[in-house]
């Protein structure tokens, strides 16, 4: 009789570090866009809310395209392992399963620099309120990801990250 789990893969991970996102930090993080829109509307342009509403899907799309492109170039299977999330603190295109720290860092650094470059291009052609909204949204979306990377191990290459709704964990194989 042949074993039924012949092609099965078993992963054994050891938890190295778990970083919990505190509820108060999550509330402050959620309130920052509201504060930004109010300040932008008062000090920069009365149309600040309009520009902010436009900037949100633009930045989400840019980060999606950059992340997907980096993953495709790296040869990483995307279909079942990454998804669009709209839950705080991980909004945007995020891994749904374990991901290598090195690959996640690579994706986020590409997101950071290409997103900033894209935003910088808009300085010339768009109103200042729109450019500020793009920059704010870009940095706001990336802030929890970089926080997670710094807290769990920026220099780790082969370790794995797992993002949960209230925490991020770093595992060693």
């Amino acid at each position: 009789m042949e074993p039924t789990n012949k092609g099965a893969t078993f992963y054994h991970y050891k938890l190295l570090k778990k970083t919990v996102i505190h509820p108060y930090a999550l509330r402050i993080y959620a309130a920052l866009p509201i504060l930004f829109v109010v300040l932008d509307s008062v000090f920069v342009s009365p149309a600040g809310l309009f520009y902010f509403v436009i900037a949100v899907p633009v930045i989400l799309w840019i980060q999606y395209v950059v992340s997907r492109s980096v993953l495709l170039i790296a040869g990483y299977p995307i279909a079942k392992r990454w998804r669009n999330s709209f839950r705080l603190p991980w909004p945007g295109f995020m891994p749904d399963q374990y991901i290598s720290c090195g690959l996640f860092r690579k994706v986020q650094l590409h997101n950071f620099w290409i997103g900033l470059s894209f935003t910088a291009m808009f300085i010339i052609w768009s109103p200042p309120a729109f450019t500020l909204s793009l920059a704010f949204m870009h940095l706001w979306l990336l802030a929890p990801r970089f926080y997670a990377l710094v807290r769990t191990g920026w220099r780790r290459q082969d370790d794995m990250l797992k993002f949960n709704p209230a925490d991020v964990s770093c595992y060693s194989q």
Side-chain angles (χ1 to χ4, degrees):
M1 195 167 209
E2 233 175 272
T4 58
N5 62 355
K6 184 178 181 183
T9 304
F10 295 97
Y11 296 103
H12 299 284
Y13 297 122
K14 177 183 174 189
L15 179 64
L16 298 176
K17 188 165 188 176
K18 183 175 186 176
T19 302
V20 177
I21 310 295
H22 296 286
Y24 294 117
L26 194 58
R27 288 185 193 136
I28 291 170
Y29 178 70
L32 283 176
I34 298 166
L35 179 64
F36 173 80
V37 168
V38 169
L39 293 175
D40 190 32
S41 297
V42 170
F43 292 113
V44 180
S45 170
L49 177 62
F50 173 71
Y51 292 129
F52 186 79
V53 168
I54 293 172
V56 171
V58 169
I59 288 297
L60 284 170
W61 180 76
I62 290 168
Q63 290 188 359
Y64 171 78
V65 169
V66 170
S67 297
R68 192 165 169 86
S69 299
V70 171
L71 291 168
L72 285 173
I73 290 169
Y76 189 78
I78 301 169
K80 295 181 182 178
R81 297 185 182 182
W82 284 68
R83 65 177 168 77
N84 281 314
S85 170
F86 298 103
R87 297 188 64 194
L88 294 179
W90 318 116
F93 197 55
M94 288 292 293
D96 197 24
Q97 299 177 358
Y98 294 97
I99 183 166
S100 156
C101 287
L103 181 61
F104 186 74
R105 184 180 63 244
K106 183 182 200 179
V107 169
Q108 298 315 315
L109 285 173
H110 277 83
N111 261 332
F112 178 73
W113 289 113
I114 293 171
L116 278 184
S117 301
F118 183 82
T119 302
M121 287 184 342
F122 273 86
I123 290 174
I124 299 168
W125 298 297
S126 68
F130 182 62
T131 305
L132 285 173
S133 294
L134 284 173
F136 173 81
M137 273 309 299
H138 179 62
L139 296 174
W140 184 78
L141 288 171
L142 290 178
R145 301 168 192 192
F146 281 119
Y147 173 76
L149 277 170
V150 168
R151 294 285 299 179
T152 56
W154 181 265
R155 299 200 184 276
R156 298 185 189 279
Q157 290 293 323
D158 298 328
D159 294 339
M160 305 296 279
L161 292 175
K162 175 70 173 145
F163 291 90
N164 299 312
D167 63 58
V168 60
S169 302
C170 182
Y171 295 90
S172 177
Q173 288 185 337

